[in-house]
Amino acid sequence: MESSIEYLEADNYSSWRTDMKVLLMERNCWRIVIGTETKPEDENCKELRDFNSRKDKAYSTIYLNVSKSYRCVIDDIEDPVAAWKRLEEHFRPNSRARVIGLTDDFFSCRINPQEEIGIYAARIRSIVDQLKDAGKPISEWYQAFQLIRFLPAEFNGIVQYIYRWDDKEFKFDKILQELIAEESRLKQSIKDQNETCAFQSIERNISKTPRSKSKPSSYKKNIQPTRKKTKVMKSPNTFIAESNLSQDYERDAWILDTAATSHFCSKKSLLRNFRPVKNLTMSIAVGGVRCDIKGIGTVRMIFENNGELETVDLLNVLYSPRLRRNLISGSLIDQAGSTFSCKKGQINVYSKDGHKLFTAKKLNGLFCVNPRIEVNRNSNGKNVKGNSRFESVNKIKSKIQNFSTFNVNNLRTWHNRMCHINERYIIQTSKNKCVKGLPELKHSDFKCEPCKLAKSRCKSFKPIGKIRSSKPLELLHMDLCGPFPDVAIGGHRYFLSIIDDFSRKVTTYPIKEKTEVFKHFSNYQKRAE
């Protein structure tokens, strides 16, 4: 029986191990591989021949399902038990680096868009099992916490209900049952709402249909009624609203949509660093239709503003060949720190520092933009990373940002990258062509606020040269310093200094809170008087 599992590669050992386990169980060889079934003692029996046959079958099954580049790991042995252990030691080394990586994967594991709760829980369990095999098990409490940590907003109600459970009930399996039940309820609710909306639209169409009135036969012969061609409403399986499908947009135009939760692209050729994905779908606003996502990549757009080229990177762009238009998510632009304003039929998008990135003009009710897309390809037709050594700005807290901008010909950009050095040095370096990839820059009058703050100096007070008081306690200089990052042994985080202007005597009091200042000042006054 031929196997249909994927070959073992450098990045699929976890899934390959599970598939191989099922395949060996189907061929009645799994107990031999894990060592629970040993060689019979009687050497002249049918059981011995059967054992040796299944042992050879187990080794051949393992060997033939390993890619050719990794078969050299086990080609010098013929024992399936030893081959299985060697593969596990090679792809799952028992090292601290692997345990740290698995721990990071566990706490950063998030539910994907449109992913089912059961699939998400299975991914968490897979990481937990690997940590358990490595000798670093994750407690039940952390597993339950990670399961409800990154759930979508529609699960907020059930999460608040789970928070009120006792510690004995706060278990992974029980929480998973509640979440699966809530997921089924939400799917049924969405289905009922779609059916209700469709029924109401049919009722409105029926109510608007004019009733035929009887006319004399002569009237019917002489005057033929003009009938308008009415467009039949299509089923909810259409992708975009019918009014938008008939508009004259350019195929490569991008629509700025403030309701879109992600960037979407309908052409694979526009994506850089393309990564195929599986089991990922998105929901369309029209009729609740779901669309499969085939991959994720980056789209690099180039705009021209006042003679300067502005480069905008859209990260985590979802690719679906069934889409008819490309969408730019306005919500992700806002999350990245950029702003946009709508005025006189156009939307202007600005970066954090206030300069304009691009303009989307209104066309038939939608705001469209036509950028130049930079796509690099190698000889095999695959997307490769560009040669430009650009870094993204406008970063947000997540590891992978969804919107980033930079201007390659802007002196401010290179001034920020080169640790705010003098702009004259940067211009001279660009003219001498000392740095590869540095364009020829020209002098521009700009004000760098971080440089002003970092290089500014506090203006010192001029010395008076005389004592302004005529007796002790007539004039006091007091200062409160703190809080300090390190707490003293007695728990003190501040200290109060009091200097008498006449005698120049300095007295200090360590204090724990700011509210103790008046108490210490009163003690100082009583003591001095």
Side-chain angles (χ1 to χ4, degrees), residues 310-312 332-340 348-358 392-398 401-407 410 412-413 416 447 449-450:
E310 197 75 35
T311 304
V312 176
L332 294 185
I333 294 178
D334 179 69
Q335 291 180 12
S338 299
T339 58
F340 47 88
N348 296 321
V349 181
Y350 301 91
S351 64
K352 278 185 176 181
D353 55 4
H355 72 276
K356 185 170 69 174
L357 301 176
F358 62 90
S392 302
V393 299
N394 293 342
K395 292 183 179 179
I396 56 179
K397 294 183 178 179
S398 59
Q401 66 185 68
N402 295 302
F403 181 79
S404 63
T405 64
F406 52 83
N407 189 344
N410 192 351
R412 179 193 293 270
T413 301
N416 295 337
K447 298 179 180 179
E449 294 297 332

Side-chain angles (χ1 to χ4, degrees), residues 180-191:
I180 292 177
E182 180 68 11
E183 183 182 35
S184 302
R185 188 193 66 81
L186 291 174
K187 289 182 179 180
Q188 184 63 35
S189 177
I190 295 174
K191 181 179 179 181

Side-chain angles (χ1 to χ4, degrees), residues 34-52:
I34 61 177
T36 57
E37 183 178 353
T38 58
K39 183 179 179 180
E41 297 180 357
D42 189 0
E43 298 182 356
N44 298 320
C45 62
K46 182 179 179 182
E47 287 78 5
L48 178 60
R49 293 193 298 272
D50 179 68
F51 176 83
N52 293 331

Side-chain angles (χ1 to χ4, degrees), residues 375-385 387:
V375 179
N376 293 337
R377 291 180 175 273
N378 58 8
S379 59
N380 297 328
K382 297 181 180 180
N383 291 342
V384 298
K385 191 173 182 179
N387 296 326

Side-chain angles (χ1 to χ4, degrees), residues 196-209:
T196 303
C197 294
F199 179 75
Q200 292 177 354
S201 62
I202 293 174
E203 284 186 342
R204 287 195 295 268
N205 293 334
I206 294 176
S207 62
K208 292 181 180 179
T209 305

Side-chain angles (χ1 to χ4, degrees), residues 353 411-420 426 446 448 450:
D353 55 4
L411 180 60
R412 179 193 293 270
T413 301
W414 293 100
H415 173 71
N416 295 337
R417 289 179 179 177
M418 296 183 176
C419 302
H420 295 266
I426 304 176
F446 68 91
C448 182

